[in-house]
Amino acid sequence: MSQDLLKLSAAQAVSAIQAGDVSASELYDFYRRRASADEFNSYLSVDSDSTIAPAGGELAGVPIAIKDLFCMEGVETRAASKILNGYVPPYDSTVVAKLRAAGASFIGKTNMDEFAMGSSNENSAFGAVRNPWDPTRVPGGSSGGSAAAVAAGTAPWATGTDTGGSIRQPAALCGLVGLKPTYGAVSRFGMIAFASSLDQAGPITRDVADAALMLKHIHGKDASDSTSIGLPEDVVAPSAENLNGLKFGIPAPLDWGGVQTVVKAVFDASCKRIEAAGGEIVELPLPHADYALSAYYIIAPAEASANLARMDGVRFGQRADVSGGLTEMYETTRGEGFGPEVKRRIMLGTYALSSGYYDAYYGQAQKVRTKIVEDFKAAYETCDFIITPTSPSVAFGLGEKTDDPLQMYLSDYFTVPISLAGVPAISLPAGLATSDGSAVAEPGTEGALPVGLQIAAPHFAENKLLDAAHVFERETDFADGPWTWGS
Amino acid sequence: MSDATQYEPVIGLEIHIQLATNTKMFCGCRLEFGAEPNTLTCPVCLGHPGTLPVPNEQAVKFAIATGLALGCSIAPRSMFHRKNYFYPDLPKGYQISQFDIPICANGELSGVRIHRAHMEEDAAKNIHVGESGRIHGAGRTVVDYNRGGTPLVEIVTEPDIHSGAQAREWLQLLRATIKRLGVSDVNMEEGSLRCDANISIRPVGQKELGVKSELKNMNSFRFIERGIDAEIARQTALLNAGEKVEQETLHFDPSSGSLTSLRSKEEAHDYRYFPEPDLVPVAPSSELIDEIRASLPELPLQKAERYENDLGISAETSKFLAFNAEMGAYFEAVLAAAGDGADNKRIGDWVVGELVARIGADADPAESKVEPAAMARLVSLVGEKAVTNAGAKTVLDKLVESGGDPDAIVEAEGLAAMGDSDELAGIVDAALEANPKAVEDMKSGNMKAIGAVIGFVMKQTQGRADGGEVTKIVREKLGL
Ligand SMILES: [Zn+2]
């Protein structure tokens, strides 16, 4: 019976509860037990009150795990940072409120890179998360806890947030579906801000249908977020049969220099599969994409340096116990409260905004961003989607890149341009690599690691994107992961 | 030493005005002065993690109205920026303000050009518990976040002002203008109007500006005038002594008249302004701007013009009434009570000349005991010659003291003018008899001598006689 519960996707679980085959409380207890016994440090807290959503909601009480970046009324929310120790928000983020209203039950808060800054989940103040495919490896980040929870089957699905790839990259490294919606599709209210002009909430799920189901319930214009627009049409369950007439663009020339051979091999195989399903592969220029990482690592830290200023020990969270004056209180609180990567980015961002440097850094980065937006606009005049690998490599070893921030930042090479353009993109499982990353592996191979494909669509074309992803998913023999291994 | 150089003071003003909106600039919290500390707050204005600002539409409309009243052009798209600095009264660690594109720019009010007027949010209020009253060295600091997030408009003038007195008069006009718009209480004591002044001096005839100092947080028009004059004197003394003016921020202590330095240029902040990514540009439609323009009330400058041209009031009195918000409102109330056909000029003269002399130029006449209707009636009694000027002044003394009805006071005090009654003629006879020298003089053509006769009559009648009437009777009696 429990194996059967584990096999249900979120959408299937909703149907099973509605059909009376499974009870919401049975499913909730099942997942809460599994989350409490989690071995991958996926959770920062697991719900202790067993608060199951009232019956009758569209999500039928199906449990969900929530990234610790989302404020939840009455539940300690720390963004995996010591500085927010003890912070219990007096309000729900809009995403949580909408899921609550739709009848979701909450299992717990998932681990993440501190303030969503990282690509390996090693920047959490509460310990690294391990990848359920191979516990010596990272799950990706920053939504690593959410991805590990879904991959390990301690949650049927989870929310993530994506600023430069924080949903898509961990989804790829954990063999899951991760969707970053169009900037503005989902309200940011109550999502602790990292880089406000880039942050978007989205689903991390086992399949595309679940991603569509969650998006349906979290998108929408929100009076509390002036930058939210919502999607122009209802999100529908993907149902396309083929990719006939659709053009998939590959940015050319694409720099494969830093990309693992096996990632390239899986990508090439993915292109063949797209063609087999009726799609057409074309090449198109994205001339400024190569500048995206540099621009991103100016803009995101600049915004973060201001967003994190409110963590000052005055009104909430942890305050250093000092005898001196105000300045000492600020310095010690922030010195003790923030981890090294957060400090690094605050310093980068503060510098980039400083008088005398603004034009050379922040101003220039914004110009690059404008160019990238124009590139994507032009590209979508000749194709329906843009495809790349999601991550240049498969999941890397814990500690492998922690001493080299630049190497770590390169993990976002394929995801960042899309974030700057503000368009939606999905990462979905595309194939497996052998454990040493040297070759493509067949399903079932011992120690194999997942490789993801990223598909990006024009602004607000989420339905079209989900349809294409759904077809690709069906053509890919990959309905397997740690959650079905019966651990 | 040759004669000391003559210097010209150059002054620009920065005025913060709290808008009297129902709610705060970026959240739904109610605004109220003097409420229990920290009762008007929410996660947004406390800067909780994850919260986002939502602009107050009423505040945007008020800012546009302010800009239009100051002759500014309204930007079709203006931006909000973040101004970054750490202080406990600033919950987010940045203030949302406007930077390179303010909503209003390039205006002019009564000869002083407006550089810009932009929207921003107010800080909360630090209360320092301890001896020094300043945050460093205070025993403890507590923060009341009620004020945090109040919508502000900051008005920045060009350096077109040249004296403390001019600054004071212009600020009075600005205040009356804002008050008339109804967008702010403009109450300096409660801090809904705050003013800083940038002051420099330069040799007369020189074009380029001298080094300026900034005079902060002066909380009455009188102190602004005194503070500016004190700073001009300080800078003049420095330059005359061959020393330099340093760029610094100063505080004027009105009780001692002294200026103390708050911080120098070296300590100036780098605010690291950048566009606020949580907000979209403010883009008011031209229809909205036209609508606001059409609904602007008559403003003090126009009002002064109307008083002068239509009511025949002197230019100076017109300005005094129109530029002084409370005085102007009271005057309008007296006009209304007097009704059509009243002698408006006389009303103006009585309000400005007599009432102000009794209650003071800074008082709000609406708070005096003289009801507008009583004032109107009193002036009308004078016009009808039912009381003499002297008698009316006595009535006004009584009204200021304890209020009431002018007719009743005239009756009770026996102040009714005597008109051309026989009684007056009798008193004139007595006066002529008592002043034979004056009679002689008048007969030989020196009418000035009538003064003695009138004085006698006034004394006898306790001022109830009308001077003009007495003259008429004298001329008749002497056949002049
Ligand atoms: Zn509030």
Side-chain angles (χ1 to χ4, degrees):
Chain A
M1 182 60 202
S2 15
Q3 276 317 299
D4 293 342
L5 288 181
L6 204 48
K7 277 182 182 138
L8 296 173
S9 72
Q12 288 165 342
V14 169
S15 304
I17 293 169
Q18 284 167 345
D21 297 340
V22 177
S23 82
S25 63
E26 180 189 2
L27 189 71
Y28 183 82
D29 288 341
F30 171 77
Y31 273 107
R32 204 167 63 85
R33 260 198 316 277
R34 287 186 63 82
S36 304
D38 167 62
E39 293 165 4
F40 305 100
N41 201 24
S42 312
Y43 289 88
L44 294 178
S45 66
V46 174
D47 176 48
S48 52
D49 302 337
S50 297
T51 21
I52 301 168
E58 278 190 66
L59 293 176
V62 165
I64 188 167
I66 301 291
K67 187 179 183 180
D68 199 34
L69 204 62
F70 294 91
C71 285
M72 264 179 92
E73 185 176 351
V75 177
E76 190 180 30
T77 299
R78 296 174 290 183
S81 180
K82 275 193 290 187
I83 206 162
L84 283 177
N85 266 336
Y87 176 60
V88 179
Y91 76 105
D92 267 345
S93 55
T94 299
V95 165
V96 166
K98 284 176 94 89
L99 288 168
R100 204 189 284 284
S105 304
F106 301 102
I107 310 170
K109 305 294 293 285
T110 58
N111 203 346
M112 54 183 282
D113 283 303
E114 183 178 2
F115 289 112
M117 297 177 183
S119 309
S120 69
N121 217 122
E122 291 165 294
N123 296 333
S124 167
F126 307 105
V129 177
R130 285 179 307 233
N131 192 322
W133 291 75
D134 176 351
T136 68
R137 293 174 190 265
V138 305
S142 68
S143 310
S146 287
V150 179
T154 58
W157 56 353
T159 62
T161 68
D162 191 313
T163 305
S166 282
I167 286 175
R168 291 161 284 163
Q169 186 252 16
L173 269 46
C174 290
L176 301 167
V177 171
L179 173 68
K180 181 202 91 76
T182 305
Y183 183 80
V186 180
S187 168
R188 293 183 294 114
F189 185 72
M191 216 173 90
I192 299 176
F194 161 18
S196 314
S197 72
L198 296 158
D199 296 342
Q200 262 297 286
I204 293 181
T205 56
R206 287 184 209 162
D207 63 25
V208 176
D210 277 3
L213 179 63
M214 195 192 299
L215 182 63
K216 174 184 153 86
H217 289 289
I218 63 173
H219 89 87
K221 185 174 171 61
D222 179 8
S224 300
D225 176 0
S226 307
T227 65
S228 75
I229 301 166
L231 293 170
E233 50 190 27
D234 278 347
V235 178
V236 293
S239 60
E241 300 280 328
N242 57 58
L243 302 174
N244 289 349
L246 295 171
K247 286 186 183 165
F248 292 74
I250 303 174
L254 195 59
D255 181 7
W256 294 99
V259 180
Q260 265 182 339
T261 322
V262 67
V263 170
K264 170 88 163 76
V266 170
F267 182 72
D268 289 342
S270 301
C271 292
K272 294 219 168 60
R273 222 173 291 138
I274 286 168
E275 285 174 326
E280 184 189 343
I281 303 289
V282 296
E283 291 202 333
L284 49 82
L286 283 178
H288 301 90
D290 264 354
Y291 302 103
L293 261 188
S294 320
Y296 175 84
Y297 275 97
I298 301 282
I299 293 169
E303 292 179 9
S305 71
N307 284 332
L308 297 185
R310 67 188 63 194
M311 318 293 166
D312 59 4
V314 174
R315 283 146 292 121
F316 45 75
Q318 178 174 298
R319 180 191 299 175
D321 189 13
V322 294
S323 54
L326 178 67
T327 307
E328 188 190 345
M329 191 282 281
Y330 280 151
E331 288 174 357
T332 317
T333 296
R334 291 166 64 82
E336 289 172 353
F338 290 134
E341 182 60 28
V342 173
K343 287 178 189 165
R344 183 177 295 122
R345 296 200 195 188
I346 290 174
M347 285 191 280
L348 274 174
T350 303
Y351 182 80
L353 292 173
S354 296
S355 156
Y357 299 97
Y358 181 93
D359 290 340
Y361 292 102
Y362 191 79
Q364 199 68 11
Q366 289 292 16
K367 283 183 198 154
V368 169
R369 184 177 190 169
T370 305
K371 291 283 179 201
I372 288 172
V373 171
E374 287 166 4
D375 282 359
F376 274 78
K377 210 175 160 207
Y380 284 128
E381 276 167 19
T382 59
C383 69
D384 298 285
F385 304 104
I386 292 169
I387 51 170
T388 68
T390 308
S391 160
S393 73
V394 295
F396 44 90
L398 285 158
E400 203 176 291
K401 296 185 181 176
T402 40
D403 293 335
D404 190 347
L406 281 181
Q407 270 306 310
M408 190 73 91
Y409 295 173
L410 283 171
S411 308
D412 303 328
Y413 177 75
F414 292 117
T415 49
V416 154
I418 284 151
S419 298
L420 289 175
V423 297
I426 196 165
S427 175
L428 64 170
L432 291 169
T434 54
S435 59
D436 59 0
S438 66
V440 175
E442 289 303 312
T445 307
E446 177 73 21
L449 297 166
V451 177
L453 172 75
Q454 172 173 250
I455 311 178
H459 287 101
F460 303 111
E462 268 81 348
N463 274 331
K464 215 173 114 184
L465 176 64
L466 287 161
D467 257 341
H470 172 69
V471 174
F472 182 86
E473 177 182 59
R474 239 182 17 198
E475 301 295 317
T476 309
D477 179 18
F478 197 100
D480 200 11
W483 62 91
T484 59
W485 298 347
S487 59
Chain B
M1 279 290 284
S2 62
D3 288 351
T5 316
Q6 289 296 304
Y7 291 104
E8 176 195 37
V10 180
I11 301 150
L13 301 175
E14 293 175 14
I15 303 103
H16 285 90
I17 287 163
Q18 281 185 340
L19 298 179
T21 46
N22 299 325
T23 55
K24 292 187 180 182
M25 185 70 215
F26 295 114
C27 67
C29 287
R30 213 159 39 79
L31 284 170
E32 184 191 316
F33 181 79
E36 185 76 13
N38 293 314
T39 53
L40 306 175
T41 64
C42 72
V44 177
C45 58
L46 289 175
H48 273 241
T51 57
L52 298 171
V54 176
N56 180 335
E57 269 180 47
Q58 193 186 22
V60 173
K61 287 180 185 168
F62 281 8
I64 292 173
T66 304
L68 292 175
L70 301 180
C72 293
S73 48
I74 307 301
R77 265 171 78 88
S78 69
M79 303 275 292
F80 283 107
H81 272 61
R82 291 185 182 176
K83 178 182 181 180
N84 298 284
Y85 63 96
F86 285 94
Y87 211 55
D89 65 7
L90 194 65
K92 298 187 294 295
Y94 55 84
Q95 179 194 31
I96 303 178
S97 181
Q98 294 195 299
F99 184 55
D100 51 358
I101 314 175
I103 186 161
C104 314
N106 301 324
E108 192 260 347
L109 178 70
S110 186
V112 174
R113 288 168 301 154
I114 307 294
H115 176 61
R116 59 186 284 160
H118 70 252
M119 292 182 283
E120 61 186 28
E121 55 177 342
D122 207 349
K125 208 166 158 191
N126 282 344
I127 301 154
H128 308 306
V129 188
E131 298 108 66
S132 73
R134 303 266 292 278
I135 192 159
H136 293 286
R140 211 154 55 90
T141 298
V142 290
V143 190
D144 175 7
Y145 288 97
N146 283 356
R147 192 182 77 174
T150 303
L152 295 178
V153 165
E154 180 179 342
I155 299 164
V156 182
T157 77
E158 298 290 355
D160 289 347
I161 294 169
H162 302 289
S163 71
Q166 190 195 353
R168 175 179 171 159
E169 187 186 316
W170 187 82
L171 280 168
Q172 252 154 354
L173 167 61
L174 177 73
R175 180 173 177 273
T177 304
I178 303 294
K179 179 119 185 156
R180 186 72 187 95
L181 283 175
V183 302
S184 170
D185 302 335
V186 281
N187 182 325
M188 291 194 90
E189 271 166 40
E190 293 181 1
S192 54
L193 172 68
R194 309 196 283 270
C195 181
D196 304 335
N198 290 306
I199 303 159
S200 65
I201 60 173
R202 63 184 170 193
V204 170
Q206 179 181 302
K207 255 201 122 121
E208 78 198 66
L209 294 169
V211 176
K212 68 174 180 187
S213 59
E214 189 179 8
L215 209 48
K216 278 270 182 204
N217 292 328
M218 295 166 291
N219 57 7
S220 86
F221 288 140
R222 196 179 301 275
F223 296 159
I224 288 169
E225 180 175 357
R226 282 177 50 202
I228 288 174
D229 288 343
E231 175 57 8
I232 291 170
R234 189 188 70 91
Q235 292 190 10
T236 308
L238 277 176
L239 294 191
N240 282 339
E243 291 175 49
K244 278 185 180 162
V245 175
E246 300 285 343
Q247 186 170 334
E248 62 187 333
T249 303
L250 299 166
H251 171 75
F252 175 67
D253 178 2
S255 57
S256 66
S258 67
L259 295 152
T260 45
S261 184
L262 292 174
R263 63 170 177 264
S264 69
K265 190 189 179 187
E266 287 72 44
E267 296 168 72
H269 287 291
D270 178 0
Y271 290 120
R272 305 189 308 279
Y273 278 98
F274 74 101
E276 164 59 288
D278 287 333
L279 293 169
V280 295
V282 182
S285 66
S286 51
E287 290 79 25
L288 176 69
I289 295 171
D290 290 345
E291 198 181 294
I292 295 173
R293 197 193 305 274
S295 65
L296 290 182
E298 182 192 41
L299 297 171
L301 266 182
Q302 301 159 304
K303 190 174 285 198
E305 233 165 74
R306 177 167 61 86
Y307 288 168
E308 195 182 339
N309 296 339
D310 298 359
L311 306 187
I313 298 176
S314 75
E316 201 181 335
T317 303
S318 294
K319 273 191 190 171
F320 180 84
L321 288 169
F323 294 5
N324 181 318
E326 285 78 13
M327 208 59 79
Y330 182 81
F331 175 62
E332 295 276 340
V334 178
L335 284 186
D340 290 342
D343 185 343
N344 298 323
K345 181 180 181 310
R346 198 192 297 270
I347 292 174
D349 290 342
W350 271 84
V351 170
V352 174
E354 299 301 331
L355 182 59
V356 167
R358 284 165 176 76
I359 64 172
D362 288 339
D364 179 357
E367 283 170 14
S368 78
K369 292 184 172 146
V370 190
E371 295 291 329
M375 194 71 209
R377 177 63 186 150
L378 178 61
V379 176
S380 128
L381 288 175
V382 175
E384 292 160 11
K385 303 204 163 167
V387 284
T388 62
N389 267 318
K393 287 175 187 175
T394 308
V395 175
L396 187 55
D397 288 338
K398 301 276 175 197
L399 285 172
V400 168
E401 198 182 302
S402 44
D405 168 33
D407 288 294
I409 294 171
V410 167
E411 178 73 37
E413 303 286 325
L415 291 168
M418 302 181 80
D420 57 354
S421 64
D422 293 345
E423 190 191 354
L424 182 58
I427 295 170
V428 170
D429 281 340
L432 294 174
E433 208 165 302
N435 291 281
K437 173 82 170 69
V439 171
E440 279 306 307
D441 288 351
M442 282 189 280
K443 279 183 170 166
S444 55
N446 180 11
M447 270 312 279
K448 275 185 188 164
I450 199 171
V453 176
I454 292 176
F456 182 94
V457 175
M458 289 302 173
K459 201 169 174 191
Q460 290 291 306
T461 61
Q462 290 168 316
R464 287 154 58 231
D466 180 81
E469 196 59 36
V470 174
T471 306
K472 204 175 118 202
I473 297 172
V474 169
R475 280 179 182 278
E476 274 170 20
K477 289 196 184 288
L478 298 182
L480 294 169

